[in-house]
Amino acid sequence: MNSKVEEILNRQIAAEASSSQLYLSMASWAECHGINGTAKFLYLHSDEEREHMLKLVRFVNERGGTAIIPAIDSPKSDFDSLRQLFVLLLEHEIKVTEMINEVVHVCLQEKDYTTHNFMQWFVAEQLEEEALAREIVDKLNMIGDDKGGLYLFDRDIEMMQTSANAPQN
Ligand code: FEO
């Protein structure tokens, strides 16, 4: 495998692993605060990020590279509000999208069209995840501090589909 591509894919493996830990930390915070619908949504989102990491690990190894399983720093574990939590989640996803774009860029530079093709799944996935996070932040901006609104939000978010719980075609 091309060494520059291998290096940036390993960087992406670390990014997906830390996304998974961050969302796990967010899920746990929500659960401790009795925001159970949100906790469920975030636990699933964390699983989904781990799946992203695994997808990359297996791809690197199958193509003759060596996947590096990273150590992960402790993620942020306290949040001021549900809104702050989702604003951070959206900012995080935007950062991940930039990283995915960088991987795609290196693939083109190195003329690695196989990996470029493989990465298109991640490009589409990021589009969905960012759109969902934006929708959630918009909802929370509308609700503000209204307790009834937050109660309904927490009930409804359980039904919102991350790709992990979306029906498979
Ligand atoms: Fe796998 Fe949400 O980035």
Side-chain angles (χ1 to χ4, degrees), residues 121-168:
W121 183 88
F122 286 87
V123 171
E125 178 73 9
Q126 279 313 116
L127 205 70
E128 264 183 42
E129 287 195 350
E130 258 192 51
L132 181 60
R134 272 205 184 85
E135 189 188 326
I136 293 172
V137 169
D138 285 347
K139 274 198 171 74
L140 287 169
N141 282 339
M142 225 157 51
I143 294 166
D145 292 330
D146 178 57
K147 289 222 164 25
L150 287 169
Y151 172 82
L152 292 176
F153 169 87
D154 188 54
R155 195 196 60 182
D156 292 348
I157 195 172
E158 251 189 274
M159 301 301 137
M160 277 197 199
Q161 297 189 336
T162 64
S163 16
N165 61 10
Q168 303 294 313

Side-chain angles (χ1 to χ4, degrees), residues 16 19 23 45 48-49 52 93 96 122 125-126 129:
E16 302 293 343
S19 299
Y23 299 158
H45 205 350
E48 197 179 322
E49 297 299 349
H52 297 172
E93 286 301 331
V96 173
F122 286 87
E125 178 73 9
Q126 279 313 116
E129 287 195 350

Side-chain angles (χ1 to χ4, degrees), residues 3-110:
S3 62
K4 281 192 187 149
V5 173
E6 182 176 355
E7 195 186 318
I8 200 158
L9 286 178
N10 270 314
R11 197 182 74 162
Q12 197 61 38
I13 286 170
E16 302 293 343
S18 61
S19 299
S20 178
Q21 290 298 89
L22 174 62
Y23 299 158
L24 183 57
S25 176
M26 288 174 165
S28 178
W29 178 88
E31 191 167 49
C32 286
H33 286 77
I35 317 172
N36 294 327
T38 303
K40 202 169 159 193
F41 174 87
L42 290 166
Y43 277 127
L44 272 173
H45 205 350
S46 171
D47 287 347
E48 197 179 322
E49 297 299 349
R50 182 177 150 76
E51 286 298 320
H52 297 172
M53 176 195 70
L54 286 174
K55 212 174 166 81
L56 288 159
V57 165
R58 304 209 55 202
F59 180 80
V60 169
N61 291 338
E62 277 163 12
R63 294 220 50 224
T66 305
I68 298 165
I69 308 305
I72 310 290
D73 292 337
S74 246
K76 182 175 169 63
S77 59
D78 199 18
F79 305 91
D80 297 339
S81 64
L82 207 51
R83 186 184 170 279
Q84 189 212 26
L85 183 152
F86 278 105
V87 167
L88 290 173
L89 187 147
L90 173 59
E91 284 170 359
H92 186 81
E93 286 301 331
I94 291 171
K95 219 162 50 190
V96 173
T97 301
E98 283 167 9
M99 292 180 78
I100 297 280
N101 287 341
E102 192 57 31
V103 177
V104 171
H105 178 68
V106 171
C107 290
L108 287 177
Q109 261 181 343
E110 298 301 308

